Amino acid sequence: MSVKKLHVKKGDRVQVLTGKDRGKTGRVLRAFPRKNRVLVEGINLIKKHARPTQKIPQGGIREMEATINASNVMVICPSCQQPTRLFRRTLDSGKKVRGCKKCGEYIDK
Ligand SMILES: [Zn+2]
């Protein structure tokens, strides 16, 4: 079974469409195409109990991101700054790029 490519990639700015973080935006830290999930900076924060370390001797609770379903985010176009659906195109050079359906600009350079 082949893994379907996600519409989002590491480094994309995305907007969350559903859940407690609905409407928030963040940068994709990691994509997990096999699981159809993404890790987004500042989104879906969970509290994690950390053991005391040399750096943080008191240990304590640390917040970190948990993955969310990739279908719950929309890419924000760097050109028109709007959350948008994407199209895919293969350039003459053979390079595959994603483009913004709202303004038509390519997102991948
Ligand atoms: Zn656009």
Side-chain angles (χ1 to χ4, degrees):
M1 207 180 91
S2 69
V3 178
K4 196 171 173 278
K5 264 195 170 177
L6 293 180
H7 64 292
V8 286
K9 284 186 188 170
K10 184 180 170 184
D12 284 346
R13 225 179 118 221
V14 295
Q15 182 167 61
V16 181
L17 303 175
T18 57
K20 63 174 181 175
D21 292 318
R22 185 173 163 185
K24 286 190 191 169
T25 63
R27 190 83 47 191
V28 175
L29 300 172
R30 261 189 94 177
F32 304 90
R34 237 169 255 279
K35 295 177 181 162
N36 194 37
R37 298 183 79 81
V38 288
L39 198 63
V40 184
E41 192 172 30
I43 303 298
N44 198 22
L45 291 175
I46 54 163
K47 287 185 166 63
K48 220 168 179 184
H49 295 268
R51 279 188 201 172
T53 60
Q54 277 193 334
K55 228 173 156 184
I56 314 158
Q58 74 274 25
I61 298 166
R62 197 159 72 89
E63 283 202 316
M64 60 180 298
E65 292 92 354
T67 62
I68 56 173
N69 199 299
S71 55
N72 291 343
V73 301
M74 219 174 207
V75 172
I76 297 173
C77 170
S79 299
C80 67
Q81 306 295 327
Q82 302 217 55
T84 180
R85 288 183 177 278
L86 305 174
F87 64 82
R88 287 176 190 278
R89 188 156 298 165
T90 306
L91 302 179
D92 290 340
S93 64
K95 195 176 181 222
K96 290 187 170 72
V97 294
R98 298 171 301 161
C100 169
K101 278 197 178 173
K102 285 197 173 145
C103 70
E105 291 287 331
Y106 295 145
I107 286 172
D108 300 307
K109 303 289 177 197

PDB file of all heavy atoms in Angstrom, residues 32-50:
ATOM      1  N   PHE A  32       3.471  13.412   9.358  1.00  0.00           N
ATOM      2  CA  PHE A  32       3.485  11.953   9.436  1.00  0.00           C
ATOM      3  C   PHE A  32       2.504  11.388   8.408  1.00  0.00           C
ATOM      4  O   PHE A  32       1.366  11.064   8.746  1.00  0.00           O
ATOM      5  CB  PHE A  32       3.077  11.485  10.845  1.00  0.00           C
ATOM      6  CG  PHE A  32       3.927  12.054  11.952  1.00  0.00           C
ATOM      7  CD1 PHE A  32       3.592  13.253  12.561  1.00  0.00           C
ATOM      8  CD2 PHE A  32       5.070  11.381  12.387  1.00  0.00           C
ATOM      9  CE1 PHE A  32       4.385  13.791  13.584  1.00  0.00           C
ATOM     10  CE2 PHE A  32       5.863  11.908  13.394  1.00  0.00           C
ATOM     11  CZ  PHE A  32       5.525  13.112  14.000  1.00  0.00           C
ATOM     12  N   PRO A  33       2.949  11.298   7.149  1.00  0.00           N
ATOM     13  CA  PRO A  33       2.034  10.890   6.063  1.00  0.00           C
ATOM     14  C   PRO A  33       1.391   9.526   6.309  1.00  0.00           C
ATOM     15  O   PRO A  33       0.227   9.319   5.961  1.00  0.00           O
ATOM     16  CB  PRO A  33       2.954  10.832   4.835  1.00  0.00           C
ATOM     17  CG  PRO A  33       4.125  11.671   5.189  1.00  0.00           C
ATOM     18  CD  PRO A  33       4.294  11.553   6.663  1.00  0.00           C
ATOM     19  N   ARG A  34       2.127   8.616   6.881  1.00  0.00           N
ATOM     20  CA  ARG A  34       1.603   7.287   7.151  1.00  0.00           C
ATOM     21  C   ARG A  34       0.401   7.318   8.084  1.00  0.00           C
ATOM     22  O   ARG A  34      -0.510   6.501   7.995  1.00  0.00           O
ATOM     23  CB  ARG A  34       2.694   6.446   7.806  1.00  0.00           C
ATOM     24  CG  ARG A  34       3.017   5.187   7.096  1.00  0.00           C
ATOM     25  CD  ARG A  34       4.278   4.603   7.708  1.00  0.00           C
ATOM     26  NE  ARG A  34       5.416   4.810   6.843  1.00  0.00           N
ATOM     27  CZ  ARG A  34       5.694   4.033   5.792  1.00  0.00           C
ATOM     28  NH1 ARG A  34       4.950   3.011   5.522  1.00  0.00           N
ATOM     29  NH2 ARG A  34       6.724   4.278   5.036  1.00  0.00           N
ATOM     30  N   LYS A  35       0.433   8.263   9.001  1.00  0.00           N
ATOM     31  CA  LYS A  35      -0.647   8.360   9.976  1.00  0.00           C
ATOM     32  C   LYS A  35      -1.635   9.463   9.630  1.00  0.00           C
ATOM     33  O   LYS A  35      -2.612   9.676  10.343  1.00  0.00           O
ATOM     34  CB  LYS A  35      -0.074   8.643  11.372  1.00  0.00           C
ATOM     35  CG  LYS A  35       0.776   7.519  11.908  1.00  0.00           C
ATOM     36  CD  LYS A  35       1.360   7.930  13.254  1.00  0.00           C
ATOM     37  CE  LYS A  35       2.248   6.825  13.819  1.00  0.00           C
ATOM     38  NZ  LYS A  35       3.126   7.324  14.868  1.00  0.00           N
ATOM     39  N   ASN A  36      -1.334  10.194   8.567  1.00  0.00           N
ATOM     40  CA  ASN A  36      -2.163  11.327   8.171  1.00  0.00           C
ATOM     41  C   ASN A  36      -2.253  12.366   9.293  1.00  0.00           C
ATOM     42  O   ASN A  36      -3.303  12.947   9.555  1.00  0.00           O
ATOM     43  CB  ASN A  36      -3.564  10.850   7.771  1.00  0.00           C
ATOM     44  CG  ASN A  36      -4.348  11.922   7.051  1.00  0.00           C
ATOM     45  OD1 ASN A  36      -3.802  12.690   6.268  1.00  0.00           O
ATOM     46  ND2 ASN A  36      -5.633  12.009   7.339  1.00  0.00           N
ATOM     47  N   ARG A  37      -1.132  12.570   9.976  1.00  0.00           N
ATOM     48  CA  ARG A  37      -1.127  13.512  11.084  1.00  0.00           C
ATOM     49  C   ARG A  37       0.025  14.505  10.970  1.00  0.00           C
ATOM     50  O   ARG A  37       1.019  14.224  10.293  1.00  0.00           O
ATOM     51  CB  ARG A  37      -1.043  12.762  12.420  1.00  0.00           C
ATOM     52  CG  ARG A  37      -2.238  11.856  12.664  1.00  0.00           C
ATOM     53  CD  ARG A  37      -2.175  11.194  14.008  1.00  0.00           C
ATOM     54  NE  ARG A  37      -2.580  12.076  15.091  1.00  0.00           N
ATOM     55  CZ  ARG A  37      -3.843  12.326  15.413  1.00  0.00           C
ATOM     56  NH1 ARG A  37      -4.823  11.760  14.750  1.00  0.00           N
ATOM     57  NH2 ARG A  37      -4.135  13.150  16.394  1.00  0.00           N
ATOM     58  N   VAL A  38      -0.154  15.645  11.625  1.00  0.00           N
ATOM     59  CA  VAL A  38       0.898  16.654  11.626  1.00  0.00           C
ATOM     60  C   VAL A  38       1.104  17.203  13.039  1.00  0.00           C
ATOM     61  O   VAL A  38       0.191  17.186  13.866  1.00  0.00           O
ATOM     62  CB  VAL A  38       0.571  17.844  10.684  1.00  0.00           C
ATOM     63  CG1 VAL A  38       0.696  17.443   9.232  1.00  0.00           C
ATOM     64  CG2 VAL A  38      -0.808  18.415  10.965  1.00  0.00           C
ATOM     65  N   LEU A  39       2.311  17.674  13.251  1.00  0.00           N
ATOM     66  CA  LEU A  39       2.646  18.327  14.508  1.00  0.00           C
ATOM     67  C   LEU A  39       2.787  19.806  14.187  1.00  0.00           C
ATOM     68  O   LEU A  39       3.577  20.180  13.317  1.00  0.00           O
ATOM     69  CB  LEU A  39       3.972  17.752  15.012  1.00  0.00           C
ATOM     70  CG  LEU A  39       4.348  17.950  16.467  1.00  0.00           C
ATOM     71  CD1 LEU A  39       3.350  17.256  17.375  1.00  0.00           C
ATOM     72  CD2 LEU A  39       5.733  17.396  16.721  1.00  0.00           C
ATOM     73  N   VAL A  40       1.984  20.635  14.867  1.00  0.00           N
ATOM     74  CA  VAL A  40       1.987  22.062  14.543  1.00  0.00           C
ATOM     75  C   VAL A  40       2.400  22.867  15.764  1.00  0.00           C
ATOM     76  O   VAL A  40       1.891  22.659  16.865  1.00  0.00           O
ATOM     77  CB  VAL A  40       0.586  22.527  14.062  1.00  0.00           C
ATOM     78  CG1 VAL A  40       0.633  23.987  13.627  1.00  0.00           C
ATOM     79  CG2 VAL A  40       0.093  21.655  12.917  1.00  0.00           C
ATOM     80  N   GLU A  41       3.323  23.781  15.525  1.00  0.00           N
ATOM     81  CA  GLU A  41       3.859  24.620  16.592  1.00  0.00           C
ATOM     82  C   GLU A  41       2.746  25.337  17.357  1.00  0.00           C
ATOM     83  O   GLU A  41       1.948  26.061  16.768  1.00  0.00           O
ATOM     84  CB  GLU A  41       4.784  25.651  15.953  1.00  0.00           C
ATOM     85  CG  GLU A  41       5.631  26.409  16.918  1.00  0.00           C
ATOM     86  CD  GLU A  41       6.655  27.270  16.184  1.00  0.00           C
ATOM     87  OE1 GLU A  41       6.367  27.711  15.059  1.00  0.00           O
ATOM     88  OE2 GLU A  41       7.734  27.475  16.739  1.00  0.00           O
ATOM     89  N   GLY A  42       2.673  25.121  18.657  1.00  0.00           N
ATOM     90  CA  GLY A  42       1.724  25.828  19.513  1.00  0.00           C
ATOM     91  C   GLY A  42       0.296  25.304  19.470  1.00  0.00           C
ATOM     92  O   GLY A  42      -0.592  25.874  20.093  1.00  0.00           O
ATOM     93  N   ILE A  43       0.071  24.216  18.740  1.00  0.00           N
ATOM     94  CA  ILE A  43      -1.289  23.682  18.576  1.00  0.00           C
ATOM     95  C   ILE A  43      -1.421  22.325  19.272  1.00  0.00           C
ATOM     96  O   ILE A  43      -0.505  21.508  19.214  1.00  0.00           O
ATOM     97  CB  ILE A  43      -1.629  23.539  17.078  1.00  0.00           C
ATOM     98  CG1 ILE A  43      -1.498  24.875  16.340  1.00  0.00           C
ATOM     99  CG2 ILE A  43      -3.020  22.937  16.885  1.00  0.00           C
ATOM    100  CD1 ILE A  43      -2.431  25.976  16.827  1.00  0.00           C
ATOM    101  N   ASN A  44      -2.584  22.119  19.886  1.00  0.00           N
ATOM    102  CA  ASN A  44      -2.865  20.870  20.595  1.00  0.00           C
ATOM    103  C   ASN A  44      -1.822  20.583  21.671  1.00  0.00           C
ATOM    104  O   ASN A  44      -1.229  19.509  21.711  1.00  0.00           O
ATOM    105  CB  ASN A  44      -2.969  19.696  19.617  1.00  0.00           C
ATOM    106  CG  ASN A  44      -3.683  18.509  20.244  1.00  0.00           C
ATOM    107  OD1 ASN A  44      -4.444  18.668  21.210  1.00  0.00           O
ATOM    108  ND2 ASN A  44      -3.444  17.321  19.743  1.00  0.00           N
ATOM    109  N   LEU A  45      -1.629  21.573  22.518  1.00  0.00           N
ATOM    110  CA  LEU A  45      -0.638  21.431  23.587  1.00  0.00           C
ATOM    111  C   LEU A  45      -1.139  20.470  24.645  1.00  0.00           C
ATOM    112  O   LEU A  45      -2.292  20.514  25.054  1.00  0.00           O
ATOM    113  CB  LEU A  45      -0.352  22.793  24.222  1.00  0.00           C
ATOM    114  CG  LEU A  45       0.390  23.789  23.329  1.00  0.00           C
ATOM    115  CD1 LEU A  45       0.491  25.134  24.037  1.00  0.00           C
ATOM    116  CD2 LEU A  45       1.767  23.285  22.960  1.00  0.00           C
ATOM    117  N   ILE A  46      -0.262  19.597  25.062  1.00  0.00           N
ATOM    118  CA  ILE A  46      -0.585  18.704  26.159  1.00  0.00           C
ATOM    119  C   ILE A  46       0.446  18.919  27.254  1.00  0.00           C
ATOM    120  O   ILE A  46       1.564  19.337  26.993  1.00  0.00           O
ATOM    121  CB  ILE A  46      -0.589  17.220  25.714  1.00  0.00           C
ATOM    122  CG1 ILE A  46       0.743  16.866  25.052  1.00  0.00           C
ATOM    123  CG2 ILE A  46      -1.739  16.960  24.757  1.00  0.00           C
ATOM    124  CD1 ILE A  46       0.988  15.396  24.951  1.00  0.00           C
ATOM    125  N   LYS A  47       0.026  18.629  28.465  1.00  0.00           N
ATOM    126  CA  LYS A  47       0.948  18.802  29.587  1.00  0.00           C
ATOM    127  C   LYS A  47       1.701  17.506  29.799  1.00  0.00           C
ATOM    128  O   LYS A  47       1.127  16.429  29.837  1.00  0.00           O
ATOM    129  CB  LYS A  47       0.176  19.178  30.843  1.00  0.00           C
ATOM    130  CG  LYS A  47      -0.323  20.596  30.798  1.00  0.00           C
ATOM    131  CD  LYS A  47      -0.972  20.986  32.110  1.00  0.00           C
ATOM    132  CE  LYS A  47      -1.176  22.485  32.207  1.00  0.00           C
ATOM    133  NZ  LYS A  47      -2.088  23.015  31.200  1.00  0.00           N
ATOM    134  N   LYS A  48       2.974  17.654  29.936  1.00  0.00           N
ATOM    135  CA  LYS A  48       3.789  16.479  30.146  1.00  0.00           C
ATOM    136  C   LYS A  48       4.594  16.651  31.420  1.00  0.00           C
ATOM    137  O   LYS A  48       5.189  17.681  31.646  1.00  0.00           O
ATOM    138  CB  LYS A  48       4.731  16.287  28.956  1.00  0.00           C
ATOM    139  CG  LYS A  48       4.809  14.836  28.628  1.00  0.00           C
ATOM    140  CD  LYS A  48       5.450  14.533  27.362  1.00  0.00           C
ATOM    141  CE  LYS A  48       5.429  13.013  27.251  1.00  0.00           C
ATOM    142  NZ  LYS A  48       6.104  12.525  26.100  1.00  0.00           N
ATOM    143  N   HIS A  49       4.542  15.615  32.235  1.00  0.00           N
ATOM    144  CA  HIS A  49       5.312  15.685  33.465  1.00  0.00           C
ATOM    145  C   HIS A  49       6.763  15.349  33.168  1.00  0.00           C
ATOM    146  O   HIS A  49       7.068  14.295  32.638  1.00  0.00           O
ATOM    147  CB  HIS A  49       4.740  14.726  34.502  1.00  0.00           C
ATOM    148  CG  HIS A  49       3.361  15.120  34.926  1.00  0.00           C
ATOM    149  ND1 HIS A  49       3.131  15.938  35.998  1.00  0.00           N
ATOM    150  CD2 HIS A  49       2.161  14.877  34.383  1.00  0.00           C
ATOM    151  CE1 HIS A  49       1.830  16.152  36.100  1.00  0.00           C
ATOM    152  NE2 HIS A  49       1.214  15.513  35.126  1.00  0.00           N
ATOM    153  N   ALA A  50       7.618  16.292  33.509  1.00  0.00           N
ATOM    154  CA  ALA A  50       9.029  16.100  33.215  1.00  0.00           C
ATOM    155  C   ALA A  50       9.783  15.720  34.481  1.00  0.00           C
ATOM    156  O   ALA A  50       9.514  16.231  35.562  1.00  0.00           O
ATOM    157  CB  ALA A  50       9.603  17.377  32.620  1.00  0.00           C
TER     158      ALA A  50
END
